[in-house]
Amino acid sequence: MASPNFSSVPVLDYARVSSPTLKPQFIKELQHALINVGFLYLANVPVETDALVSYIPRLFDLPQAAKDKISMVNSKHFLGYNKLGSEFTKGNRDWREQFDIATPHVCRAAEGRGDPDYWNLWGPSQWPDEDLLPGFKDVMERYLLQVQQLSYDFSALLAEALGLPTAALMQFYDRDELMQHRGKIVRYPQTDSETQGVGPHYDAGFLTFLLQASGHKGLQVQNLTGEWIDVPPIPGTFVVNIGRALEFVTQGLARATSHRVVLPPGDTVRGPRYSVPFFQNIGLDVKLAERILQFPPEILKLRDARGSVGATDSVNFTEFDRETSGRVNLIGRVKSHPDVAERHYPELFKQIFPNGVPAQVSAY
Ligand SMILES: O=C(O)CCC(=O)C(=O)O
Ligand SMILES: [Fe+2]
């Protein structure tokens, strides 16, 4: 059998999904990508990106005071603006600036009712003043809703590719008004020395849909033997990858793959690199350990043929074996944004950081 290791990330054509004759080939390619790679490009997806892409440089070019006005530290939902150099991964500074903006959601938690603290993780986004960037909010909201729909449609295909009923993953999502998915708009400034854009990490949730919004190389993924493989932007595609939560409930069938962004000096494309990841969440109250999925033996054999993944350079993500998904994610957010936690979750902050805000904060 061919070695399951990979030296490039496969490109899948989403248009095939609507053709009964071509869909089986898509499902087969998806199965390979999920089990052996953990990353894929998806071409021909029904998401409009041009309007959003044209706003991105103007968003970052807003006066610093307008960006600071919507700083993440204002938001108990960990939504808003983070300035350059405020995150670290594996002890090194990440060289990026970003806005966390999520799908619309009304926070469920009420004061004095004993609601779980992690319900506060989700709530309304902070937006720049409409008159400074007219139309941006509308375009971003529309974009997030389109990617949200894609993410649900894709999870049915994923279930099929792993030999499950198409609705098998629906148990992990609450109904629309109880869900929230998080987008980020990220800017990696051009540098003249090689710099860590973001260090090696896994994503935490279920599925990530990444729009590479400029022509720069930089994204890399780690293959089964630990080599770093380039994932250059391909116009008209999204990059899709698996998070730790989905890997956990699929018994490691769908791989969470270690990835990073390296900013190469002398890139022929000048200016900053832009990207827009969308992190698909699962319901806050879901305990993953109680919902491990069961697979046909012939599918599990494919995982065993891949073997366990050797050493990676990534920091491990929090385990899902005891807590609700909301609690796991809240702890992750507290660790990466202690300034937000100190203001909005003082007790949890003290438990996690008994000596106060650490000098270096981990992005993951
Ligand atoms: O900017 C990118 O291309 C990837 C970013 C990423 O992996 C993340 O923010 O989790
Ligand atoms: Fe990531």
Side-chain angles (χ1 to χ4, degrees):
M1 201 180 79
S3 154
N5 202 11
F6 62 93
S7 53
S8 64
V9 168
V11 184
L12 273 68
D13 182 359
Y14 194 70
R16 291 185 166 188
V17 170
S18 43
S19 152
T21 51
L22 298 176
K23 187 177 166 194
Q25 183 60 25
F26 179 93
I27 295 291
K28 201 164 154 229
E29 290 171 13
L30 180 56
Q31 183 182 75
H32 164 76
L34 295 171
I35 297 176
N36 296 316
V37 187
F39 263 78
L40 56 105
Y41 292 96
L42 204 54
N44 294 316
V45 292
V47 178
E48 292 160 51
T49 58
D50 290 357
L52 176 62
V53 169
S54 73
Y55 271 109
I56 296 175
R58 285 187 280 151
L59 175 66
F60 286 100
D61 286 345
L62 288 174
Q64 192 62 41
K67 297 193 274 189
D68 291 341
K69 193 173 159 193
I70 56 171
S71 166
M72 185 185 278
V73 78
N74 301 332
S75 162
K76 65 179 169 194
H77 318 302
F78 296 86
L79 294 171
Y81 170 72
N82 277 297
K83 64 180 190 304
L84 194 62
S86 49
E87 295 174 307
F88 290 73
T89 303
K90 290 198 81 188
N92 294 319
R93 189 185 293 274
D94 296 326
W95 200 236
R96 61 180 185 173
E97 180 184 4
Q98 59 199 348
F99 295 84
D100 282 57
I101 301 177
T103 56
H105 182 78
V106 179
C107 182
R108 265 195 285 166
E111 291 285 326
R113 213 173 50 182
D115 290 338
D117 53 358
Y118 58 79
W119 281 7
N120 287 302
L121 203 50
W122 295 350
S125 299
Q126 301 191 77
W127 298 95
D129 286 340
E130 183 63 23
D131 52 349
L132 289 179
L133 209 54
F136 167 69
K137 179 172 188 247
D138 264 14
V139 164
M140 182 63 181
E141 281 193 331
R142 192 162 356 112
Y143 174 83
L144 291 173
L145 291 176
Q146 286 179 356
V147 184
Q148 169 180 291
Q149 187 58 52
L150 173 67
S151 79
Y152 288 133
D153 295 346
F154 188 83
S155 57
L157 296 166
L158 184 147
E160 203 178 330
L162 297 182
L164 300 173
T166 49
L169 297 183
M170 290 303 147
Q171 60 172 306
F172 297 102
Y173 314 113
D174 283 320
R175 56 178 196 279
D176 269 358
E177 66 273 25
L178 297 184
M179 282 306 300
Q180 181 167 52
H181 306 289
R182 185 164 59 93
K184 264 192 338 190
I185 304 182
V186 192
R187 174 181 186 268
Y188 300 87
Q190 187 182 333
T191 63
D192 290 322
S193 53
E194 179 167 299
T195 308
Q196 168 170 299
V198 56
H201 68 278
Y202 300 104
D203 293 346
F206 248 37
L207 289 164
T208 304
F209 292 80
L210 175 77
L211 174 66
Q212 300 201 73
S214 59
H216 304 73
K217 288 192 289 219
L219 178 62
Q220 297 183 324
V221 303
Q222 211 163 11
N223 74 8
L224 299 173
T225 51
E227 291 163 289
W228 287 102
I229 307 296
D230 282 328
V231 190
I234 302 182
T237 67
F238 275 74
V239 174
V240 184
N241 68 286
I242 312 299
R244 292 296 255 184
L246 185 57
E247 179 180 59
F248 185 79
V249 288
T250 61
Q251 303 186 42
L253 259 172
R255 267 197 81 193
T257 295
S258 162
H259 57 285
R260 68 181 182 186
V261 173
V262 177
L263 304 173
D267 195 331
T268 46
V269 186
R270 306 306 289 168
R273 174 177 186 271
Y274 295 116
S275 72
V276 187
F278 174 100
F279 302 102
Q280 188 207 46
N281 284 320
I282 56 176
L284 289 171
D285 298 312
V286 170
K287 278 195 179 159
L288 286 178
E290 293 169 358
R291 300 194 190 201
I292 305 296
L293 298 163
Q294 299 305 317
F295 298 92
E298 67 273 17
I299 300 278
L300 290 171
K301 273 196 201 134
L302 298 171
R303 178 198 62 189
D304 298 342
R306 173 194 75 203
S308 59
V309 178
T312 79
D313 292 333
S314 278
V315 281
N316 271 340
F317 203 79
T318 334
E319 293 307 331
F320 289 96
D321 54 358
R322 289 171 299 272
E323 304 277 10
T324 57
S325 153
R327 185 80 185 160
V328 173
N329 278 299
L330 178 58
I331 291 169
R333 298 298 269 167
V334 167
K335 286 184 180 161
S336 48
H337 299 285
D339 53 339
V340 181
E342 189 175 25
R343 192 182 293 183
H344 301 285
Y345 301 86
E347 280 170 29
L348 192 55
F349 174 83
K350 269 190 239 137
Q351 275 171 32
I352 294 179
F353 298 114
N355 302 319
V357 177
Q360 287 193 3
V361 168
S362 171
Y364 291 92

